[in-house]
Amino acid sequence: GTSMPGLRFGLYYDFRNPPQWRRDPTALYNSILAQIARAEALGWDDVWLSEHHFVEDGYTPSCLPLAAAIAARTSRMRVGTAVMLLPLHDPVRLAEDAATVDVLSGGRLDLGVGTGYRAGEFEGFGIPLNTRVGRLVEGLQILRALFAGETLTHRGKYYQCDNVSSGLSGLLHSIQLLVGCWRLLATEAEQSLKRGHGCTAAVEAERELIEVGLQVFCAHAVVGPPQPRLEIPEHVMDPG
């Protein structure tokens, strides 16, 4: 058959291990990683990971270590985050970790970031919830500069750094930097997107935000050569 240009199919995992079906965590993780490797052999295009914190069912808080494990077990699939909660991360450290995964994977990382929304997560990290949009936008400025190989001194409202650079920037292939959020933050997010970021949207998101996000995504380049595309991730339950 013929394929639609720009249409890709991916799998989505959150590595949950709910109490009522609790499994040995190592066995669960290994079974999911084996399933992902099998999915690549069957022709799936991408695998996506999501981040949440302090959740009883074991929802993964650590996307990039998992992305590195997936990269080591695959050779073709792109590995993406949908999304990492940028306001809860130091953007300089995140840039270094993401660059490491990109190098390890041979340039297959799609770094999706978003604002977050769960008050308990922000409370747990001691970060005011009402600063999330500002932290997202400022964090994006830092990520883009470091991925572009700049040596950065930054004095912002939320983040400060002096004369930093990503030691791996010269080895980077093309990290795709995507931005995702919901309708209440669409105005702020769109302004950020128009400064050059992509957009990732879950299929169950509200229609108008998807339309705004995809329009901007298709009109503006991400880090590296522009490769606008629509992702349709399929959520996969515990393979055991």
Side-chain angles (χ1 to χ4, degrees):
T2 59
S3 60
M4 294 176 59
L7 179 63
R8 301 170 63 89
F9 290 89
L11 302 175
Y12 172 97
Y13 294 90
D14 51 32
F15 285 75
R16 296 190 196 193
N17 194 3
Q20 62 269 40
W21 301 301
R22 181 78 66 188
R23 296 179 58 194
D24 173 74
T26 300
L28 174 66
Y29 275 46
N30 284 336
S31 65
I32 292 174
L33 292 173
Q35 186 180 77
I36 292 169
R38 177 60 176 160
E40 180 180 68
L42 293 173
W44 289 80
D45 298 305
D46 311 287
V47 58
W48 294 90
L49 306 170
S50 181
E51 170 189 355
H52 278 300
H53 298 268
F54 321 129
V55 183
E56 183 183 7
D57 65 7
Y59 201 118
T60 181
S62 302
C63 291
L64 291 182
L66 292 174
I70 293 167
R73 289 164 171 80
T74 57
S75 61
R76 179 187 54 80
M77 296 176 82
R78 295 197 67 83
V79 184
T81 60
V83 292
M84 292 192 68
L85 308 179
L86 182 52
L88 303 182
H89 293 271
D90 179 322
V92 173
R93 186 59 209 244
L94 179 57
E96 292 183 319
D97 289 344
T100 300
V101 176
D102 185 69
V103 171
L104 179 66
S105 69
R108 292 182 286 130
L109 179 65
D110 293 332
L111 183 65
V113 298
T115 56
Y117 63 91
R118 298 179 66 243
E121 292 177 319
F122 285 81
E123 292 169 0
F125 283 98
I127 296 173
L129 182 65
N130 63 3
T131 67
R132 58 186 176 153
V133 172
R135 289 177 183 272
L136 173 73
V137 172
E138 194 173 322
L140 284 168
Q141 295 169 351
I142 294 172
L143 288 176
R144 286 187 60 83
L146 294 178
F147 290 159
E150 298 178 17
T151 297
L152 178 68
T153 293
H154 180 85
R155 287 285 179 272
K157 182 176 181 179
Y158 303 107
Y159 305 110
Q160 295 80 39
C161 59
D162 290 292
N163 198 37
V164 300
S165 61
S166 172
L168 297 175
S169 62
L171 303 176
L172 294 181
H173 296 261
S174 176
I175 290 183
Q176 297 238 54
L177 182 57
L178 312 176
V179 184
C181 70
W182 302 106
R183 182 170 54 137
L184 292 177
L185 303 175
T187 300
E188 294 96 328
E190 186 174 5
Q191 292 304 311
S192 177
L193 288 163
K194 286 181 177 178
R195 286 189 283 271
H197 309 300
C199 180
T200 178
V203 293
E204 60 269 12
E206 297 179 59
R207 177 189 296 181
E208 57 260 52
L209 181 56
I210 293 178
E211 291 174 348
V212 168
L214 291 178
Q215 287 170 4
V216 178
F217 177 63
C218 292
H220 300 277
V222 295
V223 174
Q227 299 178 32
R229 63 182 191 267
L230 173 60
E231 300 285 351
I232 304 179
E234 176 68 23
H235 188 272
V236 179
M237 303 302 291
D238 175 4

